[in-house]
Amino acid sequence: MGRPPCCDKTGVKKGPWTPEEDIMLVSFVQEHGPGNWRTVPTHTGLRRCSKSCRLRWTNYLRPGIKRGSFSDQEEKMIIQLQALLGNKWAAIASYLPERTDNDIKNYWNTHLKKKLRKLETSDLYSNDGHCLSKFNSTSRGQWERTLQADINTAKQALQNALSLDESSPIPDIGCYPFIKQEAKMSTTTYASSAENIAKLLKQWTRSESTNNSEQSKASSSTQFSCNTTNNNAMTEYSSSFEPSNSDQFSQATTPEAAGKFHGESKREMDDEIQLSVMLESWLFDENDDLLI
DNA sequence: AAGCCAGCCAACCGCGTTTGC
DNA sequence: AGCAAACGCGGTTGGCTGGCT
């Protein structure tokens, strides 16, 4: 005997999420926290499967998500991390806490892949094989050697970390900027979340004003009726994300952090911290050197 | 103005791993 | 211990949009 079934497979709605569905989901997470996705459809009345709810939350509604175009810094980080980690989008996303793995994956597939291919062909070499790039052959060679060396160093660090004694001292988290950044995130993500919801409600009310009566009928069945003001919803939502009761949220801001929250062992966390620190210093040290 | 096409991105699908019974 | 379902991740798809002809 296994777990009880997560949701009815029949009558499950697919396709784009409506603002009111978003609000229902946000309302659920506000009350119960992220997780227990299998209970979402029954608790909220959403006709979505739990998997779809989780995806919607992590890729769109989760606090702290930055939308819009990627900065040069982010772009460079993605390129370097992809070179090091491969298509481990969740791992890459953990270094860009404001971006989702889906976003990074999409950005890689639609922009960066093309950009790099272009660089490799037309930009790097002319038809007769002469190098035309802003990377001259020397600097490109240097960059490749550096990259390879860094990959080796990272691998070595990982091996070392994995072979660490249980009694190894735990690094002081406070001394690592990356960890600090994450800790800082926990206080700022909720504001971003409120922004998300504000936008959501804005869109919703806009569509409400122009939409057919069917939608308003459906929405009236939720706790977020059309009478709910943006302010009320935002206050209610953001208040549930106060730092005092939001440890779960702040720790689960990134997929990896979420993994930690779900009981990763202390040693594994130490290993990850060491690797994170290495990667981070590598990325930030070299970002200025890499010309795209 | 209409049709076609390419780009973008949200959402779905499939599969390996984890977890609860 | 073993099974079944949840979970998490990476790959893929399909619909929307804007540009071009």
Side-chain angles (χ1 to χ4, degrees):
Chain A
M1 291 229 234
R3 293 179 171 189
C6 87
C7 57
D8 259 339
K9 297 294 176 191
T10 55
V12 172
K13 193 186 167 194
K14 288 184 182 180
W17 281 65
T18 63
E20 67 184 53
E21 284 178 315
D22 283 343
I23 289 166
M24 286 162 84
L25 180 57
V26 166
S27 168
F28 173 87
V29 176
Q30 176 190 335
E31 265 185 55
H32 301 92
N36 292 320
W37 297 112
R38 68 183 175 281
T39 65
V40 176
T42 47
H43 271 85
T44 60
L46 277 169
R47 287 171 58 201
R48 298 276 181 173
C49 82
S50 53
K51 201 172 178 177
S52 181
C53 294
R54 181 178 57 80
L55 220 61
R56 182 64 181 171
W57 172 259
T58 54
N59 286 339
Y60 197 83
L61 300 171
R62 175 167 64 82
I65 292 179
K66 184 171 145 194
R67 312 206 72 82
S69 55
F70 283 66
S71 67
D72 285 352
Q73 171 89 354
E74 287 175 316
E75 198 171 278
K76 287 168 190 173
M77 279 184 79
I78 292 168
I79 291 168
Q80 290 188 321
L81 284 164
Q82 205 279 340
L84 179 65
L85 303 170
N87 295 355
K88 303 288 177 193
W89 307 117
I92 293 170
S94 69
Y95 288 90
L96 295 153
E98 294 179 315
R99 301 291 186 178
T100 69
D101 55 352
N102 206 35
D103 267 351
I104 293 170
K105 183 172 62 180
N106 281 334
Y107 190 66
W108 175 265
N109 286 330
T110 56
H111 291 88
L112 298 179
K113 237 181 184 176
K114 239 177 285 172
K115 209 169 182 175
L116 289 176
R117 206 181 303 139
K118 210 172 170 185
L119 263 178
E120 275 177 12
T121 56
S122 62
D123 218 17
L124 281 173
Y125 301 100
S126 67
N127 289 337
D128 59 358
H130 287 102
C131 182
L132 294 174
S133 166
K134 51 194 164 188
F135 291 111
N136 60 35
S137 57
T138 315
S139 65
R140 181 181 160 79
Q142 271 176 351
W143 181 79
E144 282 173 347
R145 276 195 299 279
T146 310
L147 178 63
Q148 189 55 53
D150 286 331
I151 290 169
N152 291 338
T153 313
K155 279 180 184 169
Q156 186 59 50
L158 180 60
Q159 279 176 357
N160 291 344
L162 291 172
S163 63
L164 277 180
D165 186 357
E166 286 285 346
S167 61
S168 296
I170 304 164
D172 176 13
I173 283 177
C175 68
Y176 297 112
F178 172 71
I179 308 297
K180 274 186 190 166
Q181 194 186 340
E182 272 219 330
K184 207 163 58 182
M185 278 289 299
S186 68
T187 58
T188 58
T189 51
Y190 304 111
S192 316
S193 162
E195 283 170 26
N196 286 352
I197 303 308
K199 282 180 204 157
L200 187 67
L201 286 164
K202 210 172 174 184
Q203 283 177 351
W204 188 37
T205 47
R206 201 185 304 139
S207 67
E208 272 295 321
S209 62
T210 56
N211 245 350
N212 57 33
S213 60
E214 198 184 328
Q215 199 177 19
S216 59
K217 235 186 285 173
S219 63
S220 65
S221 67
T222 72
Q223 70 177 91
F224 284 87
S225 71
C226 296
N227 295 331
T228 308
T229 66
N230 292 5
N231 279 346
N232 286 344
M234 277 184 60
T235 310
E236 194 183 347
Y237 185 67
S238 56
S239 67
S240 75
F241 294 135
E242 291 296 329
S244 58
N245 63 356
S246 65
D247 287 353
Q248 188 179 346
F249 274 89
S250 53
Q251 288 187 36
T253 300
T254 65
E256 288 203 354
K260 283 170 198 156
F261 175 73
H262 287 296
E264 206 172 23
S265 73
K266 186 178 137 201
R267 183 175 151 178
E268 283 169 332
M269 285 178 69
D270 295 346
D271 297 344
E272 270 187 29
I273 288 166
Q274 290 213 355
L275 184 61
S276 295
V277 171
M278 277 223 47
L279 285 170
E280 186 212 0
S281 65
W282 174 64
L283 285 166
F284 288 113
D285 285 354
E286 303 233 340
N287 268 339
D288 295 337
D289 303 335
L290 178 62
L291 297 169
I292 307 297

mmCIF file of all heavy atoms in Angstrom, chain A residues 156-202:
data_model
loop_
_atom_site.group_PDB
_atom_site.id
_atom_site.type_symbol
_atom_site.label_atom_id
_atom_site.label_comp_id
_atom_site.label_asym_id
_atom_site.label_seq_id
_atom_site.Cartn_x
_atom_site.Cartn_y
_atom_site.Cartn_z
ATOM 1 N N GLN A 156 37.716 18.951 -7.917
ATOM 2 C CA GLN A 156 38.586 18.571 -6.809
ATOM 3 C C GLN A 156 37.957 18.979 -5.480
ATOM 4 O O GLN A 156 37.930 18.209 -4.521
ATOM 5 C CB GLN A 156 39.966 19.234 -6.975
ATOM 6 C CG GLN A 156 40.997 18.797 -5.955
ATOM 7 C CD GLN A 156 41.240 17.280 -6.004
ATOM 8 O OE1 GLN A 156 41.471 16.734 -7.072
ATOM 9 N NE2 GLN A 156 41.150 16.617 -4.873
ATOM 10 N N ALA A 157 37.400 20.191 -5.480
ATOM 11 C CA ALA A 157 36.776 20.694 -4.255
ATOM 12 C C ALA A 157 35.605 19.820 -3.860
ATOM 13 O O ALA A 157 35.399 19.526 -2.676
ATOM 14 C CB ALA A 157 36.310 22.124 -4.462
ATOM 15 N N LEU A 158 34.860 19.406 -4.860
ATOM 16 C CA LEU A 158 33.702 18.550 -4.590
ATOM 17 C C LEU A 158 34.156 17.231 -3.993
ATOM 18 O O LEU A 158 33.592 16.743 -3.015
ATOM 19 C CB LEU A 158 32.917 18.321 -5.881
ATOM 20 C CG LEU A 158 31.677 17.439 -5.757
ATOM 21 C CD1 LEU A 158 30.683 18.056 -4.774
ATOM 22 C CD2 LEU A 158 31.011 17.230 -7.094
ATOM 23 N N GLN A 159 35.226 16.666 -4.598
ATOM 24 C CA GLN A 159 35.754 15.406 -4.079
ATOM 25 C C GLN A 159 36.214 15.572 -2.639
ATOM 26 O O GLN A 159 35.914 14.753 -1.780
ATOM 27 C CB GLN A 159 36.921 14.931 -4.948
ATOM 28 C CG GLN A 159 36.441 14.219 -6.200
ATOM 29 C CD GLN A 159 37.599 13.824 -7.108
ATOM 30 O OE1 GLN A 159 38.752 14.140 -6.817
ATOM 31 N NE2 GLN A 159 37.297 13.149 -8.190
ATOM 32 N N ASN A 160 36.937 16.648 -2.414
ATOM 33 C CA ASN A 160 37.423 16.914 -1.060
ATOM 34 C C ASN A 160 36.252 17.046 -0.092
ATOM 35 O O ASN A 160 36.269 16.491 0.996
ATOM 36 C CB ASN A 160 38.260 18.203 -1.027
ATOM 37 C CG ASN A 160 39.572 18.031 -1.752
ATOM 38 O OD1 ASN A 160 40.001 16.903 -2.015
ATOM 39 N ND2 ASN A 160 40.202 19.132 -2.096
ATOM 40 N N ALA A 161 35.283 17.801 -0.547
ATOM 41 C CA ALA A 161 34.135 18.046 0.323
ATOM 42 C C ALA A 161 33.431 16.751 0.665
ATOM 43 O O ALA A 161 32.995 16.534 1.788
ATOM 44 C CB ALA A 161 33.168 19.019 -0.351
ATOM 45 N N LEU A 162 33.322 15.879 -0.332
ATOM 46 C CA LEU A 162 32.614 14.620 -0.109
ATOM 47 C C LEU A 162 33.384 13.681 0.807
ATOM 48 O O LEU A 162 32.799 12.821 1.458
ATOM 49 C CB LEU A 162 32.324 13.927 -1.446
ATOM 50 C CG LEU A 162 31.294 14.632 -2.308
ATOM 51 C CD1 LEU A 162 31.210 13.984 -3.685
ATOM 52 C CD2 LEU A 162 29.934 14.639 -1.651
ATOM 53 N N SER A 163 34.699 13.851 0.839
ATOM 54 C CA SER A 163 35.495 12.965 1.684
ATOM 55 C C SER A 163 35.777 13.580 3.052
ATOM 56 O O SER A 163 36.550 13.068 3.829
ATOM 57 C CB SER A 163 36.811 12.644 0.979
ATOM 58 O OG SER A 163 37.557 13.818 0.816
ATOM 59 N N LEU A 164 35.122 14.703 3.341
ATOM 60 C CA LEU A 164 35.353 15.384 4.616
ATOM 61 C C LEU A 164 34.911 14.521 5.784
ATOM 62 O O LEU A 164 33.911 13.818 5.729
ATOM 63 C CB LEU A 164 34.586 16.709 4.657
ATOM 64 C CG LEU A 164 35.259 17.902 3.990
ATOM 65 C CD1 LEU A 164 34.339 19.101 4.133
ATOM 66 C CD2 LEU A 164 36.614 18.183 4.614
ATOM 67 N N ASP A 165 35.656 14.668 6.842
ATOM 68 C CA ASP A 165 35.305 14.007 8.085
ATOM 69 C C ASP A 165 34.030 14.621 8.656
ATOM 70 O O ASP A 165 33.765 15.789 8.496
ATOM 71 C CB ASP A 165 36.471 14.212 9.052
ATOM 72 C CG ASP A 165 36.281 13.435 10.336
ATOM 73 O OD1 ASP A 165 35.233 12.783 10.494
ATOM 74 O OD2 ASP A 165 37.180 13.496 11.157
ATOM 75 N N GLU A 166 33.221 13.802 9.359
ATOM 76 C CA GLU A 166 31.997 14.300 9.989
ATOM 77 C C GLU A 166 32.309 15.449 10.925
ATOM 78 O O GLU A 166 31.517 16.370 11.103
ATOM 79 C CB GLU A 166 31.334 13.178 10.796
ATOM 80 C CG GLU A 166 30.643 12.128 9.953
ATOM 81 C CD GLU A 166 29.324 12.632 9.372
ATOM 82 O OE1 GLU A 166 28.835 13.671 9.820
ATOM 83 O OE2 GLU A 166 28.800 11.982 8.459
ATOM 84 N N SER A 167 33.492 15.375 11.557
ATOM 85 C CA SER A 167 33.815 16.367 12.579
ATOM 86 C C SER A 167 34.405 17.642 12.003
ATOM 87 O O SER A 167 34.792 18.531 12.748
ATOM 88 C CB SER A 167 34.808 15.773 13.566
ATOM 89 O OG SER A 167 35.988 15.416 12.877
ATOM 90 N N SER A 168 34.475 17.714 10.698
ATOM 91 C CA SER A 168 35.022 18.916 10.089
ATOM 92 C C SER A 168 34.252 20.137 10.532
ATOM 93 O O SER A 168 33.039 20.096 10.662
ATOM 94 C CB SER A 168 34.935 18.811 8.560
ATOM 95 O OG SER A 168 35.720 17.761 8.109
ATOM 96 N N PRO A 169 34.993 21.198 10.763
ATOM 97 C CA PRO A 169 34.292 22.406 11.217
ATOM 98 C C PRO A 169 33.327 22.908 10.167
ATOM 99 O O PRO A 169 33.623 22.860 8.979
ATOM 100 C CB PRO A 169 35.430 23.410 11.440
ATOM 101 C CG PRO A 169 36.574 22.884 10.639
ATOM 102 C CD PRO A 169 36.413 21.401 10.584
ATOM 103 N N ILE A 170 32.198 23.363 10.637
ATOM 104 C CA ILE A 170 31.202 23.909 9.714
ATOM 105 C C ILE A 170 31.604 25.338 9.387
ATOM 106 O O ILE A 170 31.854 26.123 10.282
ATOM 107 C CB ILE A 170 29.811 23.930 10.362
ATOM 108 C CG1 ILE A 170 29.476 22.508 10.831
ATOM 109 C CG2 ILE A 170 28.773 24.456 9.418
ATOM 110 C CD1 ILE A 170 28.318 22.469 11.803
ATOM 111 N N PRO A 171 31.670 25.670 8.098
ATOM 112 C CA PRO A 171 32.033 27.037 7.747
ATOM 113 C C PRO A 171 31.035 28.011 8.335
ATOM 114 O O PRO A 171 29.842 27.726 8.381
ATOM 115 C CB PRO A 171 31.951 27.058 6.211
ATOM 116 C CG PRO A 171 31.851 25.647 5.786
ATOM 117 C CD PRO A 171 31.348 24.858 6.938
ATOM 118 N N ASP A 172 31.527 29.133 8.760
ATOM 119 C CA ASP A 172 30.642 30.170 9.270
ATOM 120 C C ASP A 172 29.880 30.772 8.112
ATOM 121 O O ASP A 172 30.420 31.475 7.274
ATOM 122 C CB ASP A 172 31.475 31.239 9.983
ATOM 123 C CG ASP A 172 30.605 32.380 10.448
ATOM 124 O OD1 ASP A 172 29.375 32.216 10.433
ATOM 125 O OD2 ASP A 172 31.168 33.417 10.824
ATOM 126 N N ILE A 173 28.609 30.494 8.090
ATOM 127 C CA ILE A 173 27.774 30.908 6.969
ATOM 128 C C ILE A 173 27.855 32.420 6.755
ATOM 129 O O ILE A 173 27.879 32.911 5.641
ATOM 130 C CB ILE A 173 26.315 30.473 7.212
ATOM 131 C CG1 ILE A 173 26.223 28.980 6.931
ATOM 132 C CG2 ILE A 173 25.352 31.230 6.358
ATOM 133 C CD1 ILE A 173 24.893 28.381 7.180
ATOM 134 N N GLY A 174 27.963 33.145 7.832
ATOM 135 C CA GLY A 174 27.934 34.596 7.736
ATOM 136 C C GLY A 174 29.082 35.185 6.942
ATOM 137 O O GLY A 174 28.990 36.302 6.461
ATOM 138 N N CYS A 175 30.157 34.453 6.787
ATOM 139 C CA CYS A 175 31.314 35.028 6.108
ATOM 140 C C CYS A 175 31.250 34.848 4.601
ATOM 141 O O CYS A 175 32.130 35.296 3.886
ATOM 142 C CB CYS A 175 32.613 34.446 6.661
ATOM 143 S SG CYS A 175 32.830 32.720 6.272
ATOM 144 N N TYR A 176 30.229 34.191 4.119
ATOM 145 C CA TYR A 176 30.130 33.980 2.681
ATOM 146 C C TYR A 176 29.075 34.877 2.068
ATOM 147 O O TYR A 176 27.909 34.801 2.428
ATOM 148 C CB TYR A 176 29.798 32.510 2.385
ATOM 149 C CG TYR A 176 30.874 31.597 2.845
ATOM 150 C CD1 TYR A 176 30.653 30.727 3.907
ATOM 151 C CD2 TYR A 176 32.126 31.630 2.254
ATOM 152 C CE1 TYR A 176 31.656 29.893 4.347
ATOM 153 C CE2 TYR A 176 33.124 30.791 2.692
ATOM 154 C CZ TYR A 176 32.901 29.923 3.737
ATOM 155 O OH TYR A 176 33.889 29.101 4.166
ATOM 156 N N PRO A 177 29.508 35.702 1.148
ATOM 157 C CA PRO A 177 28.573 36.663 0.554
ATOM 158 C C PRO A 177 27.360 35.984 -0.056
ATOM 159 O O PRO A 177 26.254 36.497 0.043
ATOM 160 C CB PRO A 177 29.394 37.350 -0.535
ATOM 161 C CG PRO A 177 30.799 37.003 -0.269
ATOM 162 C CD PRO A 177 30.824 35.777 0.572
ATOM 163 N N PHE A 178 27.571 34.832 -0.688
ATOM 164 C CA PHE A 178 26.443 34.181 -1.355
ATOM 165 C C PHE A 178 25.368 33.796 -0.346
ATOM 166 O O PHE A 178 24.181 33.992 -0.564
ATOM 167 C CB PHE A 178 26.919 32.936 -2.097
ATOM 168 C CG PHE A 178 25.779 32.129 -2.646
ATOM 169 C CD1 PHE A 178 25.041 32.608 -3.708
ATOM 170 C CD2 PHE A 178 25.449 30.931 -2.083
ATOM 171 C CE1 PHE A 178 23.999 31.863 -4.218
ATOM 172 C CE2 PHE A 178 24.405 30.178 -2.595
ATOM 173 C CZ PHE A 178 23.679 30.650 -3.660
ATOM 174 N N ILE A 179 25.836 33.254 0.783
ATOM 175 C CA ILE A 179 24.885 32.855 1.808
ATOM 176 C C ILE A 179 24.202 34.088 2.378
ATOM 177 O O ILE A 179 23.009 34.106 2.606
ATOM 178 C CB ILE A 179 25.592 32.076 2.931
ATOM 179 C CG1 ILE A 179 26.401 30.934 2.327
ATOM 180 C CG2 ILE A 179 24.610 31.570 3.947
ATOM 181 C CD1 ILE A 179 25.587 29.898 1.602
ATOM 182 N N LYS A 180 25.004 35.135 2.550
ATOM 183 C CA LYS A 180 24.432 36.385 3.044
ATOM 184 C C LYS A 180 23.338 36.854 2.101
ATOM 185 O O LYS A 180 22.287 37.279 2.521
ATOM 186 C CB LYS A 180 25.512 37.464 3.118
ATOM 187 C CG LYS A 180 26.297 37.450 4.395
ATOM 188 C CD LYS A 180 27.212 38.664 4.382
ATOM 189 C CE LYS A 180 28.225 38.630 5.487
ATOM 190 N NZ LYS A 180 29.282 39.614 5.274
ATOM 191 N N GLN A 181 23.658 36.742 0.826
ATOM 192 C CA GLN A 181 22.712 37.202 -0.188
ATOM 193 C C GLN A 181 21.404 36.446 -0.029
ATOM 194 O O GLN A 181 20.329 37.021 -0.101
ATOM 195 C CB GLN A 181 23.294 36.962 -1.565
ATOM 196 C CG GLN A 181 22.563 37.681 -2.677
ATOM 197 C CD GLN A 181 23.119 37.271 -4.022
ATOM 198 O OE1 GLN A 181 24.235 36.762 -4.094
ATOM 199 N NE2 GLN A 181 22.361 37.464 -5.050
ATOM 200 N N GLU A 182 21.508 35.149 0.214
ATOM 201 C CA GLU A 182 20.304 34.345 0.359
ATOM 202 C C GLU A 182 19.536 34.754 1.600
ATOM 203 O O GLU A 182 18.318 34.820 1.585
ATOM 204 C CB GLU A 182 20.671 32.860 0.449
ATOM 205 C CG GLU A 182 20.766 32.202 -0.881
ATOM 206 C CD GLU A 182 20.204 30.818 -0.815
ATOM 207 O OE1 GLU A 182 20.276 30.203 0.241
ATOM 208 O OE2 GLU A 182 19.663 30.349 -1.834
ATOM 209 N N ALA A 183 20.299 35.017 2.669
ATOM 210 C CA ALA A 183 19.646 35.407 3.898
ATOM 211 C C ALA A 183 18.915 36.730 3.714
ATOM 212 O O ALA A 183 17.809 36.919 4.202
ATOM 213 C CB ALA A 183 20.680 35.532 5.007
ATOM 214 N N LYS A 184 19.570 37.618 2.957
ATOM 215 C CA LYS A 184 18.966 38.908 2.680
ATOM 216 C C LYS A 184 17.693 38.714 1.869
ATOM 217 O O LYS A 184 16.697 39.373 2.084
ATOM 218 C CB LYS A 184 19.967 39.769 1.917
ATOM 219 C CG LYS A 184 19.762 41.240 2.121
ATOM 220 C CD LYS A 184 20.984 42.032 1.703
ATOM 221 C CE LYS A 184 21.406 41.845 0.296
ATOM 222 N NZ LYS A 184 22.596 42.575 -0.071
ATOM 223 N N MET A 185 17.757 37.781 0.940
ATOM 224 C CA MET A 185 16.604 37.477 0.096
ATOM 225 C C MET A 185 15.369 37.213 0.943
ATOM 226 O O MET A 185 14.279 37.618 0.600
ATOM 227 C CB MET A 185 16.863 36.224 -0.740
ATOM 228 C CG MET A 185 17.647 36.438 -1.979
ATOM 229 S SD MET A 185 16.653 37.315 -3.162
ATOM 230 C CE MET A 185 15.311 36.135 -3.351
ATOM 231 N N SER A 186 15.580 36.511 2.047
ATOM 232 C CA SER A 186 14.423 36.088 2.815
ATOM 233 C C SER A 186 13.603 37.269 3.307
ATOM 234 O O SER A 186 12.421 37.139 3.545
ATOM 235 C CB SER A 186 14.868 35.240 3.995
ATOM 236 O OG SER A 186 15.559 36.042 4.904
ATOM 237 N N THR A 187 14.237 38.422 3.454
ATOM 238 C CA THR A 187 13.467 39.569 3.890
ATOM 239 C C THR A 187 12.911 40.354 2.731
ATOM 240 O O THR A 187 11.931 41.059 2.871
ATOM 241 C CB THR A 187 14.339 40.511 4.751
ATOM 242 O OG1 THR A 187 15.447 40.897 3.954
ATOM 243 C CG2 THR A 187 14.808 39.829 6.004
ATOM 244 N N THR A 188 13.535 40.249 1.564
ATOM 245 C CA THR A 188 13.083 41.071 0.442
ATOM 246 C C THR A 188 12.132 40.340 -0.468
ATOM 247 O O THR A 188 11.370 40.959 -1.175
ATOM 248 C CB THR A 188 14.271 41.538 -0.400
ATOM 249 O OG1 THR A 188 14.960 40.387 -0.855
ATOM 250 C CG2 THR A 188 15.189 42.422 0.384
ATOM 251 N N THR A 189 12.174 39.019 -0.461
ATOM 252 C CA THR A 189 11.365 38.266 -1.407
ATOM 253 C C THR A 189 9.890 38.509 -1.211
ATOM 254 O O THR A 189 9.125 38.485 -2.143
ATOM 255 C CB THR A 189 11.618 36.771 -1.280
ATOM 256 O OG1 THR A 189 11.492 36.421 0.075
ATOM 257 C CG2 THR A 189 12.968 36.413 -1.824
ATOM 258 N N TYR A 190 9.492 38.765 0.009
ATOM 259 C CA TYR A 190 8.074 38.893 0.265
ATOM 260 C C TYR A 190 7.507 40.157 -0.334
ATOM 261 O O TYR A 190 6.381 40.185 -0.800
ATOM 262 C CB TYR A 190 7.812 38.786 1.769
ATOM 263 C CG TYR A 190 8.369 37.513 2.263
ATOM 264 C CD1 TYR A 190 9.467 37.460 3.092
ATOM 265 C CD2 TYR A 190 7.850 36.311 1.766
ATOM 266 C CE1 TYR A 190 10.003 36.261 3.468
ATOM 267 C CE2 TYR A 190 8.396 35.113 2.137
ATOM 268 C CZ TYR A 190 9.475 35.082 2.992
ATOM 269 O OH TYR A 190 9.996 33.897 3.350
ATOM 270 N N ALA A 191 8.339 41.192 -0.329
ATOM 271 C CA ALA A 191 7.897 42.419 -0.987
ATOM 272 C C ALA A 191 7.704 42.153 -2.467
ATOM 273 O O ALA A 191 6.713 42.570 -3.065
ATOM 274 C CB ALA A 191 8.930 43.513 -0.771
ATOM 275 N N SER A 192 8.658 41.433 -3.044
ATOM 276 C CA SER A 192 8.529 41.117 -4.457
ATOM 277 C C SER A 192 7.273 40.313 -4.692
ATOM 278 O O SER A 192 6.601 40.472 -5.691
ATOM 279 C CB SER A 192 9.717 40.298 -4.920
ATOM 280 O OG SER A 192 10.884 40.819 -4.434
ATOM 281 N N SER A 193 6.983 39.462 -3.756
ATOM 282 C CA SER A 193 5.790 38.654 -3.876
ATOM 283 C C SER A 193 4.552 39.524 -3.898
ATOM 284 O O SER A 193 3.651 39.329 -4.692
ATOM 285 C CB SER A 193 5.712 37.692 -2.707
ATOM 286 O OG SER A 193 4.428 37.217 -2.571
ATOM 287 N N ALA A 194 4.554 40.477 -3.021
ATOM 288 C CA ALA A 194 3.411 41.391 -2.982
ATOM 289 C C ALA A 194 3.264 42.103 -4.310
ATOM 290 O O ALA A 194 2.156 42.328 -4.791
ATOM 291 C CB ALA A 194 3.605 42.395 -1.858
ATOM 292 N N GLU A 195 4.420 42.427 -4.913
ATOM 293 C CA GLU A 195 4.371 43.061 -6.235
ATOM 294 C C GLU A 195 3.722 42.114 -7.235
ATOM 295 O O GLU A 195 2.885 42.512 -8.039
ATOM 296 C CB GLU A 195 5.776 43.409 -6.714
ATOM 297 C CG GLU A 195 6.332 44.637 -6.038
ATOM 298 C CD GLU A 195 7.813 44.798 -6.351
ATOM 299 O OE1 GLU A 195 8.258 44.315 -7.410
ATOM 300 O OE2 GLU A 195 8.505 45.401 -5.524
ATOM 301 N N ASN A 196 4.153 40.845 -7.166
ATOM 302 C CA ASN A 196 3.569 39.854 -8.072
ATOM 303 C C ASN A 196 2.060 39.822 -7.936
ATOM 304 O O ASN A 196 1.336 39.847 -8.922
ATOM 305 C CB ASN A 196 4.106 38.450 -7.752
ATOM 306 C CG ASN A 196 5.519 38.260 -8.217
ATOM 307 O OD1 ASN A 196 6.056 39.130 -8.904
ATOM 308 N ND2 ASN A 196 6.129 37.163 -7.867
ATOM 309 N N ILE A 197 1.633 39.760 -6.707
ATOM 310 C CA ILE A 197 0.203 39.634 -6.466
ATOM 311 C C ILE A 197 -0.515 40.910 -6.865
ATOM 312 O O ILE A 197 -1.625 40.870 -7.399
ATOM 313 C CB ILE A 197 -0.074 39.287 -4.996
ATOM 314 C CG1 ILE A 197 0.662 37.998 -4.634
ATOM 315 C CG2 ILE A 197 -1.554 39.142 -4.729
ATOM 316 C CD1 ILE A 197 0.421 36.831 -5.572
ATOM 317 N N ALA A 198 0.150 42.037 -6.616
ATOM 318 C CA ALA A 198 -0.467 43.304 -7.010
ATOM 319 C C ALA A 198 -0.713 43.329 -8.507
ATOM 320 O O ALA A 198 -1.784 43.709 -8.968
ATOM 321 C CB ALA A 198 0.434 44.466 -6.597
ATOM 322 N N LYS A 199 0.320 42.866 -9.244
ATOM 323 C CA LYS A 199 0.184 42.815 -10.706
ATOM 324 C C LYS A 199 -0.947 41.881 -11.091
ATOM 325 O O LYS A 199 -1.749 42.152 -11.965
ATOM 326 C CB LYS A 199 1.489 42.322 -11.331
ATOM 327 C CG LYS A 199 2.563 43.380 -11.407
ATOM 328 C CD LYS A 199 3.795 42.769 -12.030
ATOM 329 C CE LYS A 199 5.053 43.500 -11.628
ATOM 330 N NZ LYS A 199 6.246 42.674 -11.755
ATOM 331 N N LEU A 200 -0.935 40.764 -10.377
ATOM 332 C CA LEU A 200 -1.937 39.733 -10.632
ATOM 333 C C LEU A 200 -3.340 40.303 -10.488
ATOM 334 O O LEU A 200 -4.198 40.161 -11.355
ATOM 335 C CB LEU A 200 -1.716 38.619 -9.625
ATOM 336 C CG LEU A 200 -2.501 37.345 -9.757
ATOM 337 C CD1 LEU A 200 -2.049 36.631 -11.017
ATOM 338 C CD2 LEU A 200 -2.255 36.456 -8.565
ATOM 339 N N LEU A 201 -3.538 40.986 -9.360
ATOM 340 C CA LEU A 201 -4.857 41.526 -9.083
ATOM 341 C C LEU A 201 -5.229 42.619 -10.075
ATOM 342 O O LEU A 201 -6.376 42.747 -10.478
ATOM 343 C CB LEU A 201 -4.899 42.074 -7.656
ATOM 344 C CG LEU A 201 -4.940 40.990 -6.582
ATOM 345 C CD1 LEU A 201 -4.597 41.565 -5.222
ATOM 346 C CD2 LEU A 201 -6.294 40.320 -6.554
ATOM 347 N N LYS A 202 -4.184 43.379 -10.449
ATOM 348 C CA LYS A 202 -4.397 44.442 -11.420
ATOM 349 C C LYS A 202 -4.917 43.851 -12.727
ATOM 350 O O LYS A 202 -5.905 44.298 -13.284
ATOM 351 C CB LYS A 202 -3.076 45.176 -11.654
ATOM 352 C CG LYS A 202 -3.228 46.628 -12.017
ATOM 353 C CD LYS A 202 -1.854 47.259 -12.028
ATOM 354 C CE LYS A 202 -1.883 48.670 -12.526
ATOM 355 N NZ LYS A 202 -0.527 49.224 -12.613
#
